[in-house]
C-alpha cells in the first residue's frame, strides 16, 4: 500500500489549499482480474479492475491494432442516499456515459495500440464510496490496474506513459486542490485536469458555476493541478514498482 497525505489547519479537513487528500493504492484486491487495485482519495474509494481479452470491436477486426476501454458505475450506497442501479433503469445515465468515455480516452492515451495487437483491455471502475473526485480517482487508479495487467501478461512494452487526474477549483474565492464533496458542491469554478506524466493533457474540464472566470484564474488552477499530479504520478510509480510478473 502506498500512502501520502498532509495536515494543516486551513480547510475543514485540515488541509492547506495546495494539499491533496491522503491517497492510497492497494493492489491485487480481486483474485480473477488480470490487474486490480482499490484507490482511496480521502473519503472517495474506487475499485478498478483490468480485463484482457483476445478480441477487438468490430470496426478494428483485421487491422492488427488493439483497444482500451472503460466502464464506470457507482454502487447504490456509495452516496448518502441510495441510488437506483442503472442496470435496473435499463440504460446508462448521461453522467456515467460521459465519465466512462473520459476514463477510456485517458487510458488509451498511454498505450501503444498498434503494439497491443488485436486485444481489448477493459478497465472497470466501481465507486464504493463517493466524496468528490470519483472520475479523477477512476483515471488514476485505472492506470494502476491497467499497468499491472500489462506487466503480469508480458505486455508492458505497449505501455508508453502514465496518466492521472485531479480536481482543482475556486471555493469562496480561494483556489483549492483536490476538492471533496463539501467543497465541490459550493465551488464557483470546478476544474478537472487529466494529464500524462510527460506533461501532456488528455482533457481539461472547467466550468464556472456562477460568474465567468478569467484566464489568470485558469492559469493558477493549472499550476496548482500540476503540483498535485506530480504527487499522484509518484504514488502510481511506487505502487507499480511492487508488481512482479
Amino acid at each position: 500500500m502506498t500512502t501520502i497525505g498532509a495536515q494543516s489547519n486551513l480547510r475543514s479537513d485540515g488541509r492547506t489549499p495546495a494539499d491533496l487528500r491522503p491517497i492510497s493504492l492497494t493492489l491485487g484486491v480481486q483474485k480473477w482480474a488480470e490487474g486490480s487495485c482499490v484507490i482511496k482519495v480521502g473519503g472517495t474509494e474506487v475499485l478498478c479492475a483490468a480485463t484482457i481479452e483476445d478480441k477487438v470491436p468490430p470496426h478494428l477486426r483485421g487491422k492488427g491494432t488493439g483497444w482500451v476501454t472503460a466502464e464506470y458505475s457507482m454502487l447504490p450506497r456509495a452516496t448518502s442516499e441510495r441510488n437506483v442501479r442503472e442496470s435496473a433503469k435499463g440504460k446508462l445515465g448521461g453522467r456515467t456515459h460521459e465519465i466512462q468515455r473520459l476514463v477510456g480516452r485517458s487510458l488509451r492515451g498511454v498505450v501503444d495500440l498498434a503494439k497491443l495487437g488485436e486485444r481489448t483491455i477493459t478497465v472497470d471502475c466501481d465507486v464504493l464510496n463517493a466524496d468528490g473526485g470519483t472520475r479523477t480517482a477512476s483515471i488514476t487508479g485505472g492506470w494502476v490496474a491497467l499497468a499491472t495487467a500489462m506487466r503480469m501478461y508480458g505486455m508492458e512494452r505497449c505501455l508508453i506513459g502514465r496518466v492521472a487526474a485531479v480536481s482543482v477549483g475556486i471555493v469562496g474565492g480561494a483556489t483549492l486542490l483536490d476538492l471533496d464533496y463539501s467543497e465541490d458542491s459550493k465551488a464557483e469554478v470546478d476544474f478537472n485536469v487529466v494529464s500524462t506524466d510527460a506533461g501532456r493533457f488528455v482533457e481539461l474540464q472547467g466550468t464556472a458555476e456562477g460568474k465567468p472566470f478569467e484566464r489568470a484564474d485558469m492559469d493558477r488552477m493549472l499550476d496548482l493541478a500540476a503540483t498535485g499530479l506530480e504527487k499522484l504520478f509518484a504514488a502510481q510509480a511506487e505502487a507499480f514498482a511492487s508488481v512482479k510478473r
Side-chain angles (χ1 to χ4, degrees):
M1 177 182 290
T2 304
T3 304
I4 59 175
Q7 293 183 347
S8 71
N9 58 3
L10 296 182
R11 291 162 80 173
S12 61
D13 58 1
R15 291 183 290 152
T16 72
D19 282 338
L20 289 173
R21 290 174 288 177
I23 173 174
S24 68
L25 292 159
T26 305
L27 278 62
V29 294
Q30 285 198 300
K31 178 178 180 179
W32 304 111
E34 282 83 342
S36 65
C37 80
V38 168
I39 179 170
K40 294 182 180 180
V41 184
T44 290
E45 186 174 5
V46 184
L47 168 62
C48 304
T51 300
I52 301 173
E53 297 176 289
D54 290 327
K55 63 180 183 179
V56 291
H59 70 281
L60 293 178
R61 289 174 189 163
K63 296 184 178 179
T65 189
W67 189 243
V68 176
T69 188
E71 293 190 10
Y72 168 96
S73 67
M74 188 175 293
L75 296 184
R77 285 318 309 264
T79 54
S80 59
E81 296 182 359
R82 185 182 186 275
N83 293 303
V84 177
R85 295 180 191 272
E86 290 182 322
S87 59
K89 298 177 182 178
K91 64 177 182 178
L92 293 180
R95 178 180 180 275
T96 297
H97 191 63
E98 172 203 351
I99 291 174
Q100 63 185 34
R101 290 186 63 191
L102 171 60
V103 177
R105 280 198 305 274
S106 301
L107 298 176
R108 282 195 296 276
V110 291
V111 175
D112 187 328
L113 298 177
K115 287 183 179 178
L116 189 61
E118 293 201 5
R119 299 183 181 90
T120 295
I121 304 178
T122 303
V123 179
D124 290 291
C125 301
D126 292 290
V127 179
L128 307 177
N129 289 294
D131 187 23
T134 61
R135 74 185 68 195
T136 55
S138 295
I139 293 167
T140 304
W143 181 88
V144 176
L146 171 76
T148 298
M150 294 176 76
R151 173 171 285 181
M152 294 299 292
Y153 284 80
M155 301 177 187
E156 192 174 348
R157 69 189 184 282
C158 306
L159 199 60
I160 57 177
R162 295 194 296 276
V163 65
V166 71
S167 66
V168 64
I170 299 176
V171 183
T175 305
L176 306 179
L177 179 67
D178 189 17
L179 277 59
D180 63 21
Y181 178 76
S182 68
E183 295 167 334
D184 181 71
S185 62
K186 61 185 179 184
E188 294 103 70
V189 179
D190 184 17
F191 221 95
N192 292 309
V193 180
V194 186
S195 175
T196 70
D197 59 333
R200 302 182 70 180
F201 297 118
V202 175
E203 188 150 314
L204 304 175
Q205 298 178 324
T207 304
E209 301 294 345
K211 65 180 181 181
F213 58 93
E214 298 179 0
R215 172 66 178 269
D217 295 322
M218 184 177 72
D219 290 342
R220 281 196 303 274
M221 287 187 285
L222 288 176
D223 288 343
L224 188 56
T227 67
L229 287 164
E230 184 177 353
K231 294 175 182 177
L232 292 174
F233 290 133
Q236 287 178 327
E238 184 177 343
F240 187 48
S242 69
V243 178
K244 307 299 180 185
R245 184 179 176 189

